[in-house]
Amino acid sequence: MPELVEYTRQDDIAVITIDNPPVNALSPGVPEGLQKAIQQAAADDQVKAVVLIGAGSTFIAGADIREFGKIVSGEKPRLTLLPYLQSIEDSPKPVIAAIHGTALGGGLETAMSAHYRVIAPTAQVGQPEVKLGLIPGAGGTQRLPRLAGVIKALEMCATGEPVKAQDALAAGIADRIVDGDLLQGAIAFAREVAGKAAPKTRERNEKLHDAMPMVFDFAREQARKRGRGLRAPLAAIDAVEAATKLPFDEGCKREAELFNECLFSSQSKALIHAFFGERAVSRIPGIPKDTKTYDIRRAAVIGAGTMGGGITMTYANAGIPVIVKETAQEALDRGMATIRKNYANSVAKGKLSQDAMDQRLALITPQLSYDGFEQADIIVEAVFENMAVKKQVFAEIDRIAKPDCILASNTSSLDVDEIASATSRPQMVIGNHFFSPAHVMKLLEVVRGKASGKEVIATSMALAKRLGKVAVLAGNCFGFIGNRMVAPYLREAQFLVEEGASVEQVNDALYRFGMAMGPLAMDDLAGIDVGHAIHKEFERFEKPGVRKPLVADRLYEMGRYGQKTGSGWSKYDANRKPSHDPEVAELIEKTAREAGIERRQVTSEETVDRCIYALVNEGARLLEEGIALRAVDIDITYIYGYGFPAWRGGPMFHADTVGLKNVLACIRDFEKQHGPYLWSPAPLLVRLAEAGQTFESFDQEKERTART
Ligand code: 3HC
Ligand code: NAI
């Protein structure tokens, strides 16, 4: 086994290098190796000071997150990093942490246990544990306020956001920025401080009382607003507050209690699932990492509407020159005006500089013709959701595009194979389904047609990363992963209002569950007209005699398209703030009466169960059909595309947490109450529940191999 921590000497300075690729996490062996190397330096008479540095592109990215599951399952003892880090601080010779890349979580805690920190100008430091549902667990909440002050520590520990080198220097976390060779700069620094009394962070109490008590209340209020339903940020604040009230060792004990409470919570399990899930979705069976990808240097987008505009911005934001084409000058002007307005808003909010806005706009070429399309490496179609229109557009671009140009459709539901059939090169055609607003939402659903080439898939997955997106690969079926599941989710939301819940009750129940917004609010945001167009395309799959939602079509006929028309399921003011609309309540009651639907009291619990289990049941079918590669692909789709709370881990992980037996029992009850077909449990759900298994454990590849 290679050494995880290496000890060398450069004359009078010991250099301890952590070498645990890819991110130098504090995996088993690293803390022990660090402690041993510190002892070696202490015993080495030639050594006057010690430099601690990471091999490769980074310092330490934190504790090894893979170990947490083992602690929770009892396979490993509780986290014991603290004493190892204490041994760094107790070194009789000054220790200088040299930070490049990132020093995150346990990485920053290690650096703060050193006596000094020097930092590369591009490096970042942070305590991101809250993003995993945790708090710093190796003294971070006690050391950071001592170095950076209480307010900065609260901000960093409760938001998890990293700070850049300049900020770290200003805050007192870093002692010097080293331009040029970091190791040599750190060694030079070490020689300057060698022989001097080395400051121990845990004894630096002077900044602990620089904040008023009310800052904690304020921090809690902010944390509750930012992370609705999240426990970890509040625990992080409690731990930082403890630093101001308790001696260091007592504060660390309090931190450990809070850390363990978070570690054993379902929120942390879910967020860790989401962390690894975000990375797992890029692994596609049959498409190895070294698959050839096309070089994407120029892009073209067709349609400058809601989606085309956002997609154009996404490319420009990534520094890729992009042509955007429309059919009429008016539509093009409108699209460009929206793009400019979006950028101007970001400038006004201080999120973007005027220079950056100008550079991005300069990358966009608006036009009405196909001029220049022959040079594009990818063309993204974002015209109306209508098969005939899409096929016409694909036939046109097939004649113009160069042979190795990727032809991508942003269709949200239509058959990618049928679209590809309009071209002479179906292997170059793929779905690139962005989510609205496309320049903001992180999800890209990459839809694989039956002919889509491996290189085309690999390029889309890699390109997504460049565009700042998380890509999930979906198979081709009506609605793919996201919208096929959203259909039964919205169906149940609508049935519930027909049965007696108010629009607000349905929205509120799902919002309280943790969704970014309620289902009917989402329908109003996406556009009832858009839903109607999808519904029209979907009608041919519907089974005669099966109950269908009735109200949305009426809203469409009334021109109530949602937020964009100021009215949909709710009324909207000029700032798009929703309010109850008695006209809709009346419409719902009348429609229900005419259809003979009995109105009754509907509870929040039933509302959540029906909407969420409708998602889960459809997700199970997608998984069994192979449309989704793994349950985690569904989870990531829902977290990044539909505002599903990450702290519940996505719909499939949530079902695993509730227990598939319980989910199945509930679905069977709904089947009894509402009839078969819509609520027939997915065969995979039945099988896994009866076998006491989980969606997470279901490996489709193995199933397929076993079947063949
Ligand atoms: N533990 C275990 N594995 C980790 C890890 C960690 N802390 N951080 C990253 N990895 C793994 C990733 O899973 C990925 O594995 P894969 O290649 O098998 O998918 C690999 O390292 C590379 O990671 P990324 O793909 O994310 O690489 P990037 O270069 O894009 O990002 C990073 C690097 C910024 C370090 C990012 O990985 C990251 O944010 N990591 C998590 C940092 C974090 O949360 N640290 C706190 C951990 S908890 C803690 O320290 C508790 C302490 O207080 C006691
Ligand atoms: P939109 O109606 O806002 O924009 C479509 C634009 O395409 C219009 O401006 C129209 O003039 C233009 N257009 C039509 N034919 C054209 C052609 N031949 N050449 C150039 N431009 C042409 O529609 P929206 O909402 O942007 O939807 C576009 C596509 O994105 C659809 O397939 C839709 O299903 C999909 N989608 C929509 C989402 C949404 O929330 N609105 C989310 C994800 C995907």
Side-chain angles (χ1 to χ4, degrees):
M1 205 173 122
E3 283 292 326
L4 298 173
V5 180
E6 195 191 12
Y7 179 90
T8 55
R9 191 153 54 74
Q10 291 210 6
D11 301 327
D12 53 346
I13 304 297
V15 177
I16 299 175
T17 309
I18 300 116
D19 190 3
N20 182 26
V23 293
N24 295 326
L26 294 165
S27 315
V30 175
E32 295 82 351
L34 269 174
Q35 191 180 44
K36 206 172 121 213
I38 291 285
Q39 284 162 356
Q40 196 174 344
D44 189 337
D45 289 341
Q46 306 289 313
V47 168
K48 296 207 171 69
V50 183
V51 168
L52 193 60
I53 195 163
S57 59
T58 188
F59 189 67
I60 301 170
D64 187 334
I65 302 167
R66 287 167 307 191
E67 295 296 305
F68 292 145
K70 298 178 194 161
I71 299 176
V72 173
S73 68
E75 192 188 318
K76 287 266 175 92
R78 294 194 174 190
L79 198 70
T80 52
L81 277 176
L82 200 61
Y84 292 105
L85 302 193
Q86 212 100 307
S87 69
I88 299 175
E89 201 163 39
D90 290 338
S91 158
K93 297 170 186 175
V95 181
I96 295 91
I99 302 168
H100 69 309
T102 50
L104 298 176
L108 178 56
E109 289 169 308
T110 305
M112 290 192 295
S113 305
H115 305 103
Y116 303 95
R117 286 143 297 278
V118 298
I119 188 165
T122 51
Q124 296 195 352
V125 302
Q127 298 286 174
E129 288 87 345
V130 286
K131 296 186 180 179
L132 301 170
L134 298 169
I135 68 163
T141 61
Q142 307 303 299
R143 286 200 170 90
L144 192 53
R146 286 177 160 85
L147 283 183
V150 175
I151 292 176
K152 192 74 187 165
L154 279 174
E155 195 184 296
M156 288 175 66
C157 293
T159 66
E161 290 306 321
V163 299
K164 295 192 174 135
Q166 275 298 345
D167 283 349
L169 181 72
I173 301 168
D175 299 290
R176 180 178 296 172
I177 292 185
V178 173
D179 292 307
D181 189 304
L182 178 66
L183 177 60
Q184 291 315 314
I187 289 174
F189 186 95
R191 291 202 173 109
E192 285 172 36
V193 296
K196 294 185 186 154
K200 289 185 181 175
T201 308
R202 69 169 188 256
E203 290 170 1
R204 293 170 63 174
N205 294 337
E206 65 276 13
K207 285 190 180 174
L208 280 182
H209 304 288
D210 64 354
M212 311 281 278
M214 76 215 5
V215 297
F216 299 105
D217 294 336
F218 180 71
R220 286 186 182 97
E221 198 185 308
Q222 294 292 308
R224 282 198 188 94
K225 269 196 212 149
R226 221 178 15 243
R228 204 160 37 90
L230 284 178
R231 167 71 186 121
L234 298 172
I237 295 166
D238 290 350
V240 173
E241 188 172 21
T244 65
K245 295 192 166 147
L246 301 171
F248 181 80
D249 289 339
E250 295 294 309
C252 286
K253 274 193 199 137
R254 180 72 190 125
E255 180 194 79
E257 282 166 14
L258 290 160
F259 176 84
N260 283 315
E261 182 202 300
C262 290
L263 180 62
F264 284 82
S265 71
S266 56
Q267 292 197 351
S268 154
K269 284 181 210 137
L271 286 163
I272 291 175
H273 166 76
F275 174 84
F276 285 118
E278 184 178 330
R279 285 145 185 90
V281 291
S282 66
R283 289 192 274 275
I284 315 286
I287 305 189
K289 273 214 157 25
D290 57 1
T291 304
K292 179 187 157 240
T293 54
Y294 296 101
D295 196 9
I296 304 293
R297 278 169 299 172
R298 286 167 217 268
V301 175
I302 309 183
T306 310
M307 294 307 292
I311 297 168
T312 301
M313 288 177 73
T314 303
Y315 275 94
N317 294 351
I320 301 173
V322 53
I323 300 172
V324 55
K325 176 196 177 291
E326 258 294 344
T327 43
Q329 191 62 46
E330 199 193 335
L332 190 61
D333 291 345
R334 201 169 3 162
M336 283 307 296
T338 306
I339 290 176
R340 275 192 211 95
K341 194 174 92 193
N342 286 339
Y343 278 137
N345 282 344
S346 299
V347 172
K349 286 182 191 152
K351 289 184 181 166
L352 188 73
S353 70
Q354 184 63 47
D355 265 5
M357 167 172 165
D358 295 343
Q359 279 164 21
R360 290 176 193 194
L361 280 172
L363 288 170
I364 302 175
T365 310
Q367 61 187 46
L368 297 176
S369 72
Y370 278 123
D371 288 354
F373 271 58
E374 69 287 351
Q375 287 175 20
D377 301 302
I378 185 167
I379 301 175
V380 188
E381 164 277 313
V383 304
F384 305 126
E385 186 75 343
N386 176 295
M387 182 56 88
V389 179
K390 300 232 186 243
K391 281 170 92 169
Q392 191 197 326
V393 167
F394 271 77
E396 282 167 16
I397 54 178
D398 186 39
R399 286 194 285 275
I400 301 160
K402 60 182 183 173
D404 59 353
C405 173
I406 295 180
L407 309 183
S409 173
N410 180 50
T411 175
S412 46
S413 59
L414 299 176
D415 183 349
V416 172
D417 293 332
E418 194 177 340
I419 295 175
S421 73
T423 74
S424 60
R425 44 174 135 179
Q427 75 283 1
M428 297 306 295
V429 177
I430 194 157
N432 274 192
H433 178 207
F434 290 82
F435 287 70
S436 181
H439 58 293
V440 177
M441 296 293 283
K442 258 193 108 172
L443 183 67
L444 179 70
E445 197 177 20
V446 174
V447 186
R448 169 189 212 159
K450 65 173 182 283
S452 304
K454 285 185 178 177
E455 294 83 1
V456 174
I457 297 171
T459 306
S460 285
M461 301 301 288
L463 176 63
K465 219 172 182 181
R466 221 175 128 198
L467 298 178
K469 307 287 177 198
V470 175
V472 171
L473 185 67
N476 183 29
C477 67
F478 193 89
F480 324 126
I481 296 177
N483 282 341
R484 190 166 129 191
M485 284 170 67
V486 96
Y489 172 73
L490 282 175
R491 174 197 79 207
E492 288 305 313
Q494 296 180 51
F495 284 171
L496 285 156
V497 290
E498 290 171 8
E499 287 165 34
S502 69
V503 168
E504 291 73 25
Q505 276 167 344
V506 170
N507 281 336
D508 194 51
L510 272 304
Y511 181 75
R512 281 169 189 272
F513 172 81
M515 300 298 291
M517 63 181 73
L520 301 172
M522 183 178 82
D523 205 21
D524 275 348
L525 177 71
I528 287 174
D529 53 332
V530 174
H532 183 79
I534 295 176
H535 186 207
K536 283 278 141 212
E537 293 282 347
F538 187 68
E539 263 174 355
R540 60 199 153 106
F541 298 104
E542 281 171 357
K543 207 171 145 113
V546 172
R547 182 180 171 191
K548 285 197 290 191
L550 303 168
V551 182
D553 282 350
R554 303 259 173 108
L555 294 175
Y556 174 77
E557 284 154 18
M558 292 159 77
R560 299 182 65 119
Y561 295 169
Q563 287 198 16
K564 62 178 106 167
T565 55
S567 67
W569 291 99
S570 301
K571 264 194 298 209
Y572 293 88
D573 68 13
N575 298 318
R576 301 202 166 199
K577 192 169 175 288
S579 60
H580 174 78
D581 192 337
E583 204 187 324
V584 175
E586 215 173 282
L587 172 74
I588 293 169
E589 272 196 59
K590 183 166 169 282
T591 311
R593 210 171 35 246
E594 284 167 6
I597 297 165
E598 195 188 321
R599 307 267 294 163
R600 61 188 172 86
Q601 286 279 338
V602 176
T603 64
S604 302
E605 198 189 350
E606 180 187 350
T607 304
V608 169
D609 286 350
R610 276 178 61 183
C611 292
I612 298 298
Y613 294 159
L615 276 182
V616 171
N617 204 28
E618 198 62 33
R621 291 184 204 281
L622 286 171
L623 197 53
E624 190 159 38
E625 289 167 26
I627 297 294
L629 285 170
R630 297 145 295 217
V632 74
D633 293 74
I634 297 175
D635 288 335
I636 296 299
T637 300
Y638 264 75
I639 291 171
Y640 286 122
Y642 295 85
F644 198 97
W647 53 270
R648 291 194 191 267
M652 309 314 271
F653 188 83
H654 172 66
D656 283 345
T657 307
V658 172
L660 297 191
K661 277 200 173 107
N662 299 327
V663 174
L664 178 61
C666 197
I667 288 181
R668 285 200 160 129
D669 274 351
F670 292 150
E671 191 183 17
K672 276 191 211 122
Q673 289 164 38
H674 305 284
Y677 189 68
L678 294 180
W679 277 111
S680 313
L684 178 65
L685 170 62
V686 176
R687 191 147 56 87
L688 293 175
E690 286 175 353
Q693 290 174 340
T694 58
F695 286 127
E696 200 179 15
S697 66
F698 174 69
D699 187 332
Q700 200 200 83
E701 270 299 292
K702 266 195 215 140
E703 287 256 324
R704 198 176 298 132
T705 329
R707 261 188 256 137
T708 51

